[in-house]
């Protein structure tokens, strides 16, 4: 894919980390029971990410709700995730903070039992939330009646929800049993006025 954007509009946002030494490091969050999230806030450079944003925003024939493109995946995602074998790319565009994705998991059979799903984000920062699914009968979720309520509440608010602010040029990877055990969403944000584009790389069996 050649990157020949029609227009470039660098400087829409100020680079939050102009000094490369201050760029936050990647973090791995262990969600427990074999699920993990890896978040790299500055996966692509600030300038390259704007080139990608402009290219995607101007050149993709965006339709509602989504466009699925099968074939060779692009960018450097394969290099960053050795062993990955993505063969599907889903593109989403959120034109404002009013556009959102509700709670769901990408647990369709076609992705297998432990899919690795990698999301690269461009444009406006948006929050990405994760919450644990309620399994009525699993021993893991069974409420211990002996435990004081206050302890129970503390435990669940700490362990059962996570939030990531997905930055321009960031990479977030959901791994292991994240789709089986967790829901994710990209909620409405009144303050997010600008467009966000995300690319999600997946492996279809
Ligand atoms: O736009 C995103 O970051 C995620 C969207 C999503 O969860 C999906 O397309 O399944
Ligand atoms: Fe999803």
């Amino acid at each position: 894919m050649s990157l020949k954007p029609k227009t470039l509009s660098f400087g829409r946002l100020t680079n939050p980390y102009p000094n490369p030494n201050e760029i936050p490091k990647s973090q791995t969050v262990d969600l427990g029971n074999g699920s993990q999230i890896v978040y790299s806030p500055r996966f692509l450079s600030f300038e390259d990410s704007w080139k990608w944003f402009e290219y995607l925003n101007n050149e993709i024939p965006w339709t509602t709700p989504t466009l699925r493109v099968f074939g060779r995946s692009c960018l450097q995602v394969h290099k960053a995730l050795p062993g990955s074998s993505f063969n599907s790319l889903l593109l989403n565009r959120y034109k404002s903070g009013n556009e959102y994705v509700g709670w769901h998991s990408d647990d369709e059979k076609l992705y297998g039992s432990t899919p690795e799903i990698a999301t690269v984000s461009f444009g406006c920062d948006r929050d990405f939330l994760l919450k644990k699914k309620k399994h009525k009968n699993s021993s893991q979720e069974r409420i211990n009646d002996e435990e004081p309520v206050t302890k129970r509440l503390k435990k669940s608010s700490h362990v059962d929800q996570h939030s990531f602010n997905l930055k321009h040029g960031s990479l977030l990877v959901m791994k292991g049993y994240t789709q089986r055990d967790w829901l994710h969403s990209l909620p409405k944000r009144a303050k997010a006025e600008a467009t966000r584009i995300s690319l999600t790389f997946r492996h279809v069996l």
Side-chain angles (χ1 to χ4, degrees):
M1 185 188 290
S2 75
L3 283 174
K4 285 191 189 139
K6 274 189 196 139
T7 53
L8 287 177
S9 49
F10 295 141
R12 279 168 190 250
L13 283 175
T14 321
N15 185 348
Y17 312 114
N19 179 351
N21 298 328
E22 287 171 12
I23 294 174
K25 297 261 177 307
S26 290
Q27 59 178 126
T28 299
V29 178
D30 187 349
L31 303 177
N33 294 308
S35 305
Q36 304 90 26
I37 301 290
V38 180
Y39 180 55
S40 312
R42 180 55 68 78
F43 170 64
L44 298 171
S45 78
F46 191 75
E47 291 74 18
D48 282 354
S49 299
W50 277 120
K51 284 188 196 162
W52 275 104
F53 178 91
E54 296 294 347
Y55 172 79
L56 294 163
N57 202 26
N58 294 324
E59 306 296 333
I60 296 290
W62 293 99
T63 56
T64 302
T66 51
L67 172 73
R68 279 175 195 270
V69 179
F70 288 87
R72 272 165 62 85
S73 51
C74 46
L75 295 169
Q76 303 281 317
V77 175
H78 280 300
K79 274 193 201 155
L81 301 170
S84 61
S85 55
F86 301 116
N87 59 7
S88 153
L89 177 58
L90 170 63
L91 295 85
N92 287 312
R93 182 172 66 167
Y94 307 82
K95 292 195 87 171
S96 72
N98 258 336
E99 298 192 350
Y100 69 101
V101 172
W103 289 111
H104 71 282
S105 55
D106 297 302
D107 58 357
E108 290 86 357
K109 279 209 175 105
L110 81 163
Y111 298 130
S113 58
T114 54
E116 188 169 76
I117 300 181
T119 303
V120 181
S121 299
F122 302 105
C124 191
D125 292 4
R126 292 288 294 265
D127 291 328
F128 180 85
L129 310 182
L130 285 143
K131 77 172 174 189
K132 206 163 192 181
K133 291 184 189 175
K134 299 265 178 282
H135 294 291
K136 275 187 199 137
N137 297 317
S138 94
S139 56
Q140 172 201 336
E141 294 283 336
R142 204 173 291 146
I143 290 171
N144 175 0
D145 289 335
E146 305 291 305
E147 206 173 46
V149 175
T150 46
K151 200 173 162 196
R152 258 190 258 152
L153 286 174
K154 222 189 249 169
K155 212 197 241 174
S156 69
S157 66
H158 178 67
V159 175
D160 295 354
Q161 291 184 34
H162 292 272
S163 138
F164 296 86
N165 183 245
L166 299 184
K167 302 279 184 206
H168 176 60
S170 68
L171 170 71
L172 179 134
V173 188
M174 295 184 275
K175 292 179 171 206
Y177 291 108
T178 307
Q179 304 309 318
R180 187 193 66 183
D181 294 346
W182 293 75
L183 298 166
H184 57 272
S185 69
L186 199 112
K188 284 189 185 186
R189 286 289 180 253
K191 285 184 189 155
E193 280 164 13
T195 300
R196 169 179 183 263
I197 290 175
S198 70
L199 306 182
T200 61
F201 295 83
R202 301 149 194 253
H203 181 88
V204 174
L205 299 176

